[in-house]
Amino acid sequence: MATLVAWLMLLASVFGRALAPALPGARAGFERWITWGDHVGSVLSQAALLVGTVTTVVLLLTTLRQNGLGILYRLLMAVFGAGTLTVVMTAHRHRIRADSVLVVALVTSLMALWSSIPATRTPRSRGAGLVLLAAGLSAFSHMIARALALYASENALVSLFGVSRGVATLGLLFDVGALVLAVLWLWVPRPRAGAVVLGIGTLLAVVFVGAAASGSSPDAGLFSVITDRALTELTQHPAPMVPQAVRAGLEVMAFVIAGGMLIQPEQRRLSAVVIALAILARGSSDIPLCAMSLLLASLLAPLASVPHGDIPRDLQLDAKHPHDAA
């Protein structure tokens, strides 16, 4: 179930967050493809929400039963996890206030930071815990940056908006850290797998960023226009103090690395799922599905450090060697 929800989160991000919003207005007479993109993005988002909700409930109940995690941790994770889940489900049905979204981003980022502590205590889940820590710091930084930018925009404070961009730049550094740690997690035991994922990610980043560079010109081709719009949709505001090409390239790399994580051998897949979910969320935890993705990663990471028999069967990912499950 955990692997399935990670795949759904990945596909929903590609189609729902990037492709579907990029199609309208890309070309005249494109209505059929726009409708198709909306339908696919909606179906994938709803499927990710449904499976993610069920998985979250199972993980919350499992966390409550883990005596080794501490009573305070279990109670707070259960309370905040249930509250986050409620807001995420509400956001998919109704429009919610911006401050509510920022609260969800704050809560999920703090949950990620706290969950990374027990995950880093054992070798088999340490890699996933470190990536989750970097993703949590990224989510927290970007949340602060957006809150500052929102306040600065409402009160016409130019200097404060500059501060928000500086905080967003710090968040981008944590983004890079999460991606580097994820690649190292792949590379250390299997250098060939790490090199393949890194090579494919770099190649696709160069291709898509290069195509997007001419996407706004009057004579741009359809592929360039759609790529430019899709990458713009993926990049959050306020903009860090780096070129747009760098931000767009990191988003492409994140999708490729997340996909590479989900095809890892069964013995390491539990930690791989945690890393994939954390990477997909990173600095976008103010988006409901990304908040759920970070919530799932936060609940799964400590379970990667507990004995295999304590994990529900549908979350064990059919690992053949329990003590190598990360």
Side-chain angles (χ1 to χ4, degrees):
M1 185 184 295
T3 306
L4 174 61
V5 73
W7 273 115
L8 289 173
M9 290 290 181
L10 175 59
L11 294 175
S13 295
V14 172
F15 286 92
R17 289 181 55 204
L19 185 58
L23 293 178
R27 171 174 290 182
F30 215 52
E31 290 79 8
R32 184 181 66 177
W33 292 103
I34 294 173
T35 303
W36 174 83
D38 287 337
H39 286 336
V40 172
S42 178
V43 168
L44 288 172
S45 296
Q46 292 298 327
L49 176 65
L50 176 61
V51 180
T53 299
V54 174
T55 306
T56 300
V57 172
V58 173
L59 287 173
L60 288 173
L61 295 174
T62 304
T63 300
L64 285 172
R65 294 197 300 264
Q66 297 299 323
N67 295 326
L69 295 178
I71 183 64
L72 180 62
Y73 173 87
R74 287 180 283 156
L75 289 177
L76 290 181
M77 290 296 284
V79 171
F80 289 131
T84 300
L85 182 61
T86 302
V87 176
V88 169
M89 294 177 65
T90 303
H92 271 268
R93 300 176 64 90
H94 309 284
R95 193 173 186 87
I96 61 176
R97 295 172 50 180
D99 53 357
S100 298
V101 174
L102 290 176
V103 169
V104 169
L106 172 63
V107 170
T108 51
S109 62
L110 293 178
M111 290 178 70
L113 294 176
W114 199 6
S115 297
S116 66
I117 297 174
T120 55
R121 288 175 181 169
T122 58
R124 64 174 178 268
S125 61
R126 186 165 295 149
L130 291 174
V131 175
L132 182 61
L133 174 63
L137 290 171
S138 169
F140 183 79
S141 300
H142 284 291
M143 183 277 303
I144 296 296
R146 277 190 277 282
L148 292 175
L150 181 62
Y151 183 81
S153 299
E154 292 175 347
N155 296 276
L157 300 175
V158 178
S159 59
L160 185 60
F161 189 81
V163 173
S164 72
R165 293 194 62 196
V167 177
T169 305
L170 176 63
L172 185 71
L173 294 178
F174 288 127
D175 286 346
V176 174
L179 297 180
V180 169
L181 287 170
V183 172
L184 288 176
W185 185 87
L186 286 172
W187 194 295
V188 171
R190 302 177 64 203
R192 182 175 299 179
V196 168
V197 171
L198 182 61
I200 293 175
T202 303
L203 176 62
L204 291 179
V206 171
V207 170
F208 285 124
V209 172
S214 60
S216 57
S217 61
D219 58 343
L222 179 62
F223 178 72
S224 295
V225 171
I226 293 178
T227 302
D228 180 41
R229 293 184 172 196
L231 293 179
T232 301
E233 290 290 335
L234 289 172
T235 50
Q236 297 289 300
H237 296 283
M241 298 176 183
V242 297
Q244 168 65 13
V246 175
R247 302 170 64 200
L250 289 176
E251 293 297 331
V252 176
M253 289 286 295
F255 284 135
V256 174
I257 293 173
M261 290 293 168
L262 298 179
I263 59 174
Q264 290 304 298
E266 294 173 351
Q267 294 87 349
R268 310 182 76 214
R269 200 171 299 165
L270 182 55
S271 287
V273 168
V274 173
I275 294 173
L277 290 170
I279 286 176
L280 290 175
R282 290 182 355 271
S284 303
S285 56
D286 57 331
I287 298 173
L289 274 183
C290 292
M292 177 175 280
S293 181
L294 191 57
L295 172 61
L296 287 167
S298 302
L299 294 173
L300 270 173
L303 297 181
S305 64
V306 303
H308 188 64
D310 293 341
I311 303 175
R313 185 176 298 276
D314 54 351
L315 296 175
Q316 289 179 5
L317 308 176
D318 300 322
K320 296 180 180 179
H321 303 286
H323 298 288
D324 297 328

